[in-house]
Amino acid sequence: MSEHAMSDSPNKNASGLDRGEVTDVSDLHAAVLRERPDPIEGREPLNLWMVVFVAALLFWAGTYLTHYSGGFRADEFSERQINPLPPPSESGPSTEDPTTKSAKEGMAVFLAQCSPCHQADGNGVSGQFPPLAGSEWVLAEGPNRIIRIVLNGLSGPIQVKGSDYNGVMNGFRDSMDDKQIANVLTYIRNSWGNKAGLVTPAEVATLRAATKDRTEAWVPADLLKLPVSGGDASAAAPASGGLSPEALKEALKKLPPDELKALLQGLGN
Ligand code: HEC
């Protein structure tokens, strides 16, 4: 009966579906699926460039803090910290070895005063200007002779590294101070493969005073008669008749450590 009633309805077709009704609803649902929920205010995806920019900003800020935060120490910017009482000159040089420092300062003096003859590479000019690189005069244990050479000059036959020279070098007594002479000698003693000790302004001052009346240049043969070390009064003393053990100890203490080492090694041989 009901079957009859249904088939009776003008809107039903033979298969029992409404007119226009389809069994495959995916087309219908497609439209629903296509729709997205309304976006919620404030949850829009971030702009990529904004992410990159913020990341870069954070990185910069971190780097800045690492460099300039002063370790977040409370006293970082206090007056004492900025202007520490012991001036930099006291902590500065102690980090640099005195020989290196003196040689560095001596380089400029050398280039201005000595390199025209002895050349910047210390090799001199064959037959005219003797080399300083590898020179036994320069590498001598002590600077007793070379300080005198720079103070008063040198003239007469000289042998350096097996070659003969006979030229004239003028002295620098009036044009260079003790510090300049000490620095330039430290420089030539520690350059081009040379390895010898530090020359101090005090050593130069001592010899300058000891030879203050001398005006003429040294003659190499005369210099060879002088001891290589013993520029200062204490080391010169043995010539005048020996030292007590105490005085000898004091004199040795006054030597620069590298000279002392070289001296002791020399004695051991
Ligand atoms: C005008 C050229 C001239 C200048 C500048 C000059 N010298 Fe000399 N130097 C000579 C000559 C020449 C001799 C060798 C002298 C001789 O024959 O007796 C010599 C010898 C020496 C020697 C001993 C020999 C050797 O080769 O080791 C030393 C050390 C030396 N000079 C260092 C210096 C230093 C340091 C300076 C700069 C402060 C300097 N000279 C500037 C020409 C010069």
Side-chain angles (χ1 to χ4, degrees):
M1 197 42 206
S2 68
E3 169 116 33
H4 173 77
M6 276 171 76
S7 66
D8 249 9
S9 157
N11 289 331
K12 303 286 182 176
N13 59 23
S15 59
L17 293 169
D18 287 337
R19 181 143 52 121
E21 193 176 356
V22 286
T23 47
D24 182 5
V25 294
S26 49
D27 280 351
L28 279 173
H29 287 178
V32 179
L33 288 174
R34 219 170 31 238
E35 299 294 333
R36 302 275 151 150
D38 281 344
I40 299 166
E41 178 87 21
R43 286 215 203 142
E44 301 86 352
L46 282 174
N47 182 320
L48 176 66
W49 291 113
M50 182 61 91
V51 175
V52 171
F53 174 71
V54 171
L57 199 68
L58 284 174
F59 180 74
W60 170 81
T63 313
Y64 186 92
L65 276 182
T66 313
H67 280 266
Y68 301 109
S69 63
F72 295 101
R73 283 203 316 274
D75 63 345
E76 176 61 14
F77 298 108
S78 69
E79 186 66 21
R80 179 56 46 83
Q81 196 68 24
I82 293 165
N83 251 331
L85 264 191
S89 64
E90 209 185 278
S91 56
S94 65
T95 59
E96 193 175 31
D97 147 64
T99 307
T100 313
K101 182 171 179 284
S102 169
K104 252 188 208 164
E105 292 178 30
M107 181 178 181
V109 182
F110 177 82
L111 292 175
Q113 308 285 357
C114 324
S115 69
C117 297
H118 294 285
Q119 306 302 300
D121 62 4
N123 283 323
V125 174
S126 170
Q128 274 188 62
F129 305 119
L132 302 177
S135 156
E136 63 272 28
W137 290 79
V138 176
L139 290 171
E141 228 168 83
N144 193 29
R145 294 174 185 158
I146 54 175
I147 290 175
R148 290 169 203 260
I149 291 176
V150 173
L151 280 172
N152 280 84
L154 193 67
S155 140
I158 185 174
Q159 220 183 43
V160 183
K161 285 174 86 179
S163 299
D164 291 311
Y165 299 83
N166 191 353
V168 176
M169 167 176 159
N170 291 321
F172 294 84
R173 182 183 287 271
D174 299 327
S175 55
M176 281 166 70
D177 62 26
D178 297 339
K179 190 155 181 262
Q180 287 172 314
I181 294 178
N183 286 342
V184 79
L185 288 177
T186 303
Y187 175 74
I188 67 170
R189 275 160 72 82
N190 293 279
S191 300
W192 322 296
N194 285 0
K195 196 89 203 79
L198 170 75
V199 179
T200 65
E203 289 172 300
V204 179
T206 308
L207 280 187
R208 187 193 286 275
T211 61
K212 66 179 193 306
D213 295 327
R214 188 180 183 94
T215 49
E216 69 271 33
W218 289 97
V219 178
D222 290 345
L223 280 184
L224 285 176
K225 292 176 199 149
L226 299 173
V228 283
S229 1
D232 59 9
S234 55
S240 65
L243 281 172
S244 69
E246 270 65 44
L248 182 63
K249 219 161 124 191
E250 282 314 301
L252 285 174
K253 272 191 202 151
K254 279 190 207 137
L255 280 179
D258 43 1
E259 264 193 57
L260 184 61
K261 207 171 133 207
L263 183 71
L264 291 176
Q265 271 168 0
L267 287 176
N269 292 336

Short mmCIF file of all heavy atoms in Angstrom, two decimals, residues 191-229:
data_model
loop_
_atom_site.label_atom_id
_atom_site.label_comp_id
_atom_site.label_asym_id
_atom_site.label_seq_id
_atom_site.Cartn_x
_atom_site.Cartn_y
_atom_site.Cartn_z
N SER A 191 117.67 40.77 15.06
CA SER A 191 116.99 40.79 13.75
C SER A 191 117.77 39.91 12.77
O SER A 191 118.91 39.56 13.02
CB SER A 191 116.94 42.22 13.21
OG SER A 191 116.23 43.05 14.11
N TRP A 192 117.10 39.61 11.65
CA TRP A 192 117.71 38.86 10.54
C TRP A 192 118.32 37.54 11.02
O TRP A 192 119.35 37.09 10.50
CB TRP A 192 118.82 39.69 9.87
CG TRP A 192 118.51 41.15 9.76
CD1 TRP A 192 117.49 41.71 9.04
CD2 TRP A 192 119.19 42.23 10.41
NE1 TRP A 192 117.52 43.08 9.19
CE2 TRP A 192 118.55 43.42 10.01
CE3 TRP A 192 120.28 42.31 11.26
CZ2 TRP A 192 118.96 44.68 10.47
CZ3 TRP A 192 120.69 43.56 11.70
CH2 TRP A 192 120.03 44.72 11.30
N GLY A 193 117.72 36.94 12.02
CA GLY A 193 118.26 35.68 12.53
C GLY A 193 119.26 35.87 13.67
O GLY A 193 119.67 34.90 14.30
N ASN A 194 119.67 37.12 13.92
CA ASN A 194 120.54 37.36 15.08
C ASN A 194 119.78 37.09 16.37
O ASN A 194 118.60 37.41 16.47
CB ASN A 194 121.02 38.82 15.10
CG ASN A 194 122.09 39.08 14.05
OD1 ASN A 194 122.47 38.18 13.32
ND2 ASN A 194 122.55 40.32 13.98
N LYS A 195 120.48 36.50 17.33
CA LYS A 195 119.82 36.26 18.61
C LYS A 195 120.84 36.57 19.71
O LYS A 195 121.71 35.77 20.02
CB LYS A 195 119.35 34.80 18.68
CG LYS A 195 118.35 34.51 19.75
CD LYS A 195 116.91 34.73 19.26
CE LYS A 195 115.95 34.99 20.41
NZ LYS A 195 116.01 36.37 20.93
N ALA A 196 120.75 37.78 20.23
CA ALA A 196 121.63 38.17 21.34
C ALA A 196 120.79 38.98 22.31
O ALA A 196 119.60 39.18 22.09
CB ALA A 196 122.81 38.96 20.82
N GLY A 197 121.41 39.43 23.36
CA GLY A 197 120.63 40.02 24.44
C GLY A 197 120.19 41.45 24.21
O GLY A 197 120.48 42.10 23.21
N LEU A 198 119.47 41.90 25.22
CA LEU A 198 118.96 43.26 25.29
C LEU A 198 120.11 44.22 25.64
O LEU A 198 121.00 43.86 26.40
CB LEU A 198 117.90 43.30 26.40
CG LEU A 198 117.34 44.62 26.89
CD1 LEU A 198 116.35 45.17 25.86
CD2 LEU A 198 116.62 44.41 28.21
N VAL A 199 120.10 45.40 25.04
CA VAL A 199 121.04 46.45 25.45
C VAL A 199 120.21 47.52 26.15
O VAL A 199 119.18 47.95 25.64
CB VAL A 199 121.76 47.05 24.23
CG1 VAL A 199 122.72 48.15 24.66
CG2 VAL A 199 122.51 45.97 23.47
N THR A 200 120.64 47.91 27.34
CA THR A 200 119.83 48.85 28.11
C THR A 200 120.41 50.26 28.03
O THR A 200 121.63 50.44 27.86
CB THR A 200 119.79 48.44 29.60
OG1 THR A 200 121.13 48.56 30.13
CG2 THR A 200 119.31 47.02 29.77
N PRO A 201 119.53 51.27 28.16
CA PRO A 201 120.00 52.66 28.16
C PRO A 201 121.05 52.88 29.27
O PRO A 201 121.98 53.67 29.09
CB PRO A 201 118.73 53.47 28.45
CG PRO A 201 117.62 52.61 27.95
CD PRO A 201 118.06 51.19 28.19
N ALA A 202 120.92 52.15 30.38
CA ALA A 202 121.88 52.32 31.47
C ALA A 202 123.29 51.91 31.03
O ALA A 202 124.28 52.57 31.36
CB ALA A 202 121.44 51.49 32.68
N GLU A 203 123.36 50.83 30.27
CA GLU A 203 124.68 50.38 29.78
C GLU A 203 125.28 51.44 28.86
O GLU A 203 126.49 51.70 28.91
CB GLU A 203 124.53 49.06 29.02
CG GLU A 203 124.23 47.86 29.89
CD GLU A 203 123.91 46.61 29.07
OE1 GLU A 203 122.94 46.63 28.28
OE2 GLU A 203 124.64 45.62 29.21
N VAL A 204 124.43 52.02 28.01
CA VAL A 204 124.92 53.06 27.10
C VAL A 204 125.38 54.28 27.90
O VAL A 204 126.46 54.83 27.66
CB VAL A 204 123.83 53.46 26.08
CG1 VAL A 204 124.35 54.55 25.15
CG2 VAL A 204 123.38 52.24 25.27
N ALA A 205 124.57 54.64 28.90
CA ALA A 205 124.90 55.82 29.71
C ALA A 205 126.24 55.63 30.41
O ALA A 205 127.07 56.56 30.47
CB ALA A 205 123.80 56.07 30.73
N THR A 206 126.47 54.42 30.92
CA THR A 206 127.72 54.15 31.62
C THR A 206 128.92 54.34 30.70
O THR A 206 129.90 55.01 31.05
CB THR A 206 127.72 52.70 32.16
OG1 THR A 206 126.53 52.51 32.91
CG2 THR A 206 128.92 52.44 33.03
N LEU A 207 128.81 53.76 29.49
CA LEU A 207 129.93 53.87 28.56
C LEU A 207 130.07 55.28 27.99
O LEU A 207 131.17 55.76 27.73
CB LEU A 207 129.78 52.88 27.41
CG LEU A 207 130.19 51.45 27.76
CD1 LEU A 207 130.17 50.58 26.52
CD2 LEU A 207 131.57 51.43 28.38
N ARG A 208 128.93 55.96 27.84
CA ARG A 208 128.99 57.34 27.36
C ARG A 208 129.80 58.19 28.35
O ARG A 208 130.66 58.98 27.96
CB ARG A 208 127.58 57.91 27.20
CG ARG A 208 127.54 59.29 26.54
CD ARG A 208 126.19 59.95 26.68
NE ARG A 208 125.14 59.38 25.84
CZ ARG A 208 124.92 59.75 24.57
NH1 ARG A 208 125.68 60.67 24.01
NH2 ARG A 208 123.95 59.23 23.87
N ALA A 209 129.51 57.96 29.64
CA ALA A 209 130.22 58.72 30.67
C ALA A 209 131.69 58.32 30.71
O ALA A 209 132.58 59.17 30.82
CB ALA A 209 129.55 58.49 32.02
N ALA A 210 131.92 57.01 30.61
CA ALA A 210 133.30 56.52 30.72
C ALA A 210 134.17 57.00 29.56
O ALA A 210 135.40 57.07 29.68
CB ALA A 210 133.30 55.00 30.78
N THR A 211 133.57 57.31 28.42
CA THR A 211 134.36 57.71 27.25
C THR A 211 134.04 59.15 26.84
O THR A 211 134.19 59.51 25.67
CB THR A 211 134.07 56.77 26.06
OG1 THR A 211 132.68 56.87 25.73
CG2 THR A 211 134.40 55.33 26.37
N LYS A 212 133.60 59.94 27.82
CA LYS A 212 133.07 61.27 27.45
C LYS A 212 134.10 62.19 26.80
O LYS A 212 133.73 63.10 26.06
CB LYS A 212 132.41 61.94 28.67
CG LYS A 212 133.37 62.32 29.79
CD LYS A 212 132.56 63.00 30.91
CE LYS A 212 133.45 63.69 31.91
NZ LYS A 212 134.50 62.83 32.51
N ASP A 213 135.37 61.95 27.08
CA ASP A 213 136.39 62.83 26.49
C ASP A 213 136.87 62.35 25.12
O ASP A 213 137.69 63.02 24.48
CB ASP A 213 137.59 62.95 27.44
CG ASP A 213 137.18 63.63 28.75
OD1 ASP A 213 136.28 64.51 28.68
OD2 ASP A 213 137.71 63.25 29.82
N ARG A 214 136.39 61.22 24.71
CA ARG A 214 136.87 60.68 23.44
C ARG A 214 136.14 61.35 22.27
O ARG A 214 134.92 61.48 22.28
CB ARG A 214 136.61 59.17 23.39
CG ARG A 214 137.25 58.52 22.19
CD ARG A 214 137.00 57.03 22.14
NE ARG A 214 137.71 56.49 20.98
CZ ARG A 214 138.93 55.97 21.05
NH1 ARG A 214 139.55 55.87 22.20
NH2 ARG A 214 139.54 55.54 19.95
N THR A 215 136.90 61.78 21.29
CA THR A 215 136.28 62.41 20.12
C THR A 215 136.56 61.58 18.86
O THR A 215 135.75 61.57 17.94
CB THR A 215 136.83 63.84 19.89
OG1 THR A 215 138.25 63.78 19.96
CG2 THR A 215 136.30 64.78 20.95
N GLU A 216 137.71 60.90 18.84
CA GLU A 216 138.05 60.17 17.61
C GLU A 216 137.32 58.81 17.56
O GLU A 216 136.88 58.29 18.58
CB GLU A 216 139.57 59.98 17.48
CG GLU A 216 140.18 59.03 18.48
CD GLU A 216 140.59 59.71 19.77
OE1 GLU A 216 139.94 60.69 20.20
OE2 GLU A 216 141.57 59.24 20.39
N ALA A 217 137.22 58.29 16.34
CA ALA A 217 136.58 56.99 16.14
C ALA A 217 137.45 55.89 16.72
O ALA A 217 138.66 56.05 16.90
CB ALA A 217 136.35 56.76 14.65
N TRP A 218 136.81 54.76 17.01
CA TRP A 218 137.56 53.61 17.50
C TRP A 218 138.27 52.92 16.34
O TRP A 218 137.82 52.97 15.20
CB TRP A 218 136.61 52.61 18.16
CG TRP A 218 136.06 53.10 19.47
CD1 TRP A 218 134.86 53.69 19.67
CD2 TRP A 218 136.71 53.05 20.73
NE1 TRP A 218 134.72 54.02 20.99
CE2 TRP A 218 135.84 53.63 21.67
CE3 TRP A 218 137.96 52.57 21.17
CZ2 TRP A 218 136.15 53.76 23.02
CZ3 TRP A 218 138.27 52.69 22.52
CH2 TRP A 218 137.38 53.28 23.43
N VAL A 219 139.35 52.27 16.70
CA VAL A 219 140.05 51.44 15.72
C VAL A 219 139.69 49.99 16.08
O VAL A 219 139.79 49.60 17.25
CB VAL A 219 141.58 51.65 15.81
CG1 VAL A 219 142.29 50.74 14.83
CG2 VAL A 219 141.91 53.11 15.57
N PRO A 220 139.22 49.20 15.10
CA PRO A 220 138.78 47.83 15.41
C PRO A 220 139.79 47.06 16.24
O PRO A 220 139.41 46.38 17.21
CB PRO A 220 138.60 47.21 14.02
CG PRO A 220 138.23 48.37 13.14
CD PRO A 220 139.01 49.53 13.68
N ALA A 221 141.07 47.16 15.91
CA ALA A 221 142.08 46.38 16.63
C ALA A 221 142.11 46.75 18.11
O ALA A 221 142.31 45.89 18.97
CB ALA A 221 143.45 46.61 16.01
N ASP A 222 141.87 48.03 18.42
CA ASP A 222 141.85 48.45 19.83
C ASP A 222 140.62 47.91 20.55
O ASP A 222 140.69 47.51 21.72
CB ASP A 222 141.86 49.98 19.94
CG ASP A 222 143.21 50.56 19.51
OD1 ASP A 222 144.19 49.77 19.42
OD2 ASP A 222 143.27 51.77 19.24
N LEU A 223 139.50 47.93 19.83
CA LEU A 223 138.27 47.43 20.45
C LEU A 223 138.40 45.95 20.81
O LEU A 223 137.88 45.49 21.81
CB LEU A 223 137.08 47.62 19.51
CG LEU A 223 136.47 49.01 19.45
CD1 LEU A 223 135.24 49.00 18.54
CD2 LEU A 223 136.08 49.51 20.84
N LEU A 224 139.13 45.22 19.94
CA LEU A 224 139.26 43.78 20.19
C LEU A 224 139.99 43.50 21.49
O LEU A 224 139.88 42.40 22.05
CB LEU A 224 139.98 43.11 19.02
CG LEU A 224 139.12 42.93 17.77
CD1 LEU A 224 139.93 42.35 16.62
CD2 LEU A 224 137.91 42.05 18.07
N LYS A 225 140.76 44.48 21.97
CA LYS A 225 141.47 44.27 23.24
C LYS A 225 140.55 44.43 24.44
O LYS A 225 140.87 44.01 25.55
CB LYS A 225 142.62 45.29 23.37
CG LYS A 225 143.73 45.04 22.36
CD LYS A 225 144.78 46.14 22.47
CE LYS A 225 145.65 46.22 21.23
NZ LYS A 225 146.10 47.59 20.97
N LEU A 226 139.37 45.06 24.21
CA LEU A 226 138.42 45.26 25.32
C LEU A 226 137.55 44.01 25.47
O LEU A 226 137.28 43.33 24.49
CB LEU A 226 137.51 46.45 25.04
CG LEU A 226 138.20 47.80 24.88
CD1 LEU A 226 137.19 48.86 24.45
CD2 LEU A 226 138.86 48.20 26.21
N PRO A 227 137.14 43.73 26.70
CA PRO A 227 136.23 42.59 26.87
C PRO A 227 134.90 42.86 26.17
O PRO A 227 134.50 44.02 26.03
CB PRO A 227 136.04 42.51 28.39
CG PRO A 227 136.39 43.86 28.90
CD PRO A 227 137.41 44.43 27.95
N VAL A 228 134.25 41.78 25.72
CA VAL A 228 132.97 41.98 25.02
C VAL A 228 131.89 42.48 25.97
O VAL A 228 131.05 43.28 25.60
CB VAL A 228 132.48 40.69 24.34
CG1 VAL A 228 133.24 40.46 23.07
CG2 VAL A 228 132.55 39.52 25.28
N SER A 229 131.89 41.97 27.21
CA SER A 229 130.95 42.52 28.18
C SER A 229 131.75 43.37 29.14
O SER A 229 132.96 43.50 28.99
CB SER A 229 130.17 41.46 28.93
OG SER A 229 130.56 40.19 28.53
#
